[in-house]
Each structure stands twice: as C-alpha cells, then as structure tokens.
Amino acid sequence: MNIVAVNAGSLVFIGLIVWWFWLSRPRARRESGVKPIEVLVDNGVYTPARIEVPAGRPIILRFLRKDASPCAEKVLFNDFNISADLPVGKPTDVVVIPKEPGEFEFTCQMHMYRGQLIAKAGS
Ligand SMILES: [Cu+2]
C-alpha cells in the first residue's frame, strides 16, 4: 500500500518535471518574441553580411560556422564589447542590444570576416 502511494507520488513529480522542462518552455519562448537571425560563417564571408534590425530591443544572432580555419573561430562586436567562440558545426547564439540606431560592425579577430548590424529607429 505504501509503496503504491510512493510510486503514484513520484509519477506526479516526474510529470511536473516533464511539464516544466519540455512543455512550459516553448510558450515562454514564443511570448518573448525574439527570433534568432541565422548567420552562416563560411568561405571568408558572413551570410548575410548586412543585417537590418530595429533599435532598442535584444537581437539574437545565431552563427553557424562551417569554415574550419582558425580565422573564423571568433566573432567580435567591438561596439558592444562582445566576443564569442564559434565551434564548427554548432549553432552559437550571440545576443546584442543596439539601444540607439546606428551601424555596428562585427568581425573575426583578424577583420577578414566582416558584417554589419544596422539598427534602425522606429516601429
Ligand atoms: Cu579571421
């Protein structure tokens, strides 16, 4: 009798864990409204290399590095003091918040890869 009660209790507990980790998260993500912008890192160029975004809100850039050369291993956003390691084949999210409108360059550490984040006012 006691064992049955314990098992029923742990099933409820497991159910709560499943709900919390797998079922409740997608809703939270949807409500945040921030969709990642995918940026391919290959052949010496970021694609797209020119990205227009609205100013004043968080931007998620999802870097997909295919180029295995060391040149591509880091991306730097000097205006935001942000740098990130980009493992080959593993999508890496970088969050930046362009508070004001402007053009913000992002590069590899040797400035061979170059991209621009263009934050626009309004809407
Ligand atoms: Cu480089």
Side-chain angles (χ1 to χ4, degrees):
M1 198 61 174
N2 276 342
I3 291 169
V4 171
V6 166
N7 283 344
S10 56
L11 277 180
V12 169
F13 185 64
I14 288 166
L16 278 174
I17 291 173
V18 167
W19 176 82
W20 177 255
F21 283 100
W22 284 279
L23 305 181
S24 68
R25 278 189 177 182
R27 195 191 302 147
R29 217 179 282 143
R30 230 178 293 133
E31 280 167 4
S32 78
V34 180
K35 278 192 203 129
I37 299 164
E38 294 197 342
V39 182
L40 185 68
V41 184
D42 200 14
N43 290 322
V45 287
Y46 296 120
T47 310
R50 186 183 160 88
I51 301 166
E52 290 190 12
V53 298
R57 60 178 85 166
I59 306 299
I60 303 172
L61 297 169
R62 179 162 292 166
F63 287 92
L64 300 166
R65 177 184 168 202
K66 296 206 167 166
D67 181 355
S69 77
C71 178
E73 74 190 1
K74 267 184 196 292
V75 63
L76 312 174
F77 290 79
N78 284 331
D79 296 303
F80 302 99
N81 275 320
I82 290 172
S83 72
D85 291 317
L86 306 176
V88 177
K90 186 172 170 277
T92 304
D93 287 355
V94 176
V95 179
V96 294
I97 307 174
K99 290 192 179 115
E100 304 291 334
E103 299 194 1
F104 308 101
E105 199 178 44
F106 55 97
T107 65
C108 69
Q109 63 273 48
M110 307 86 150
H111 293 258
M112 294 165 84
Y113 276 87
R114 282 167 178 272
Q116 272 186 316
L117 189 69
I118 293 133
K120 297 206 157 179
S123 66

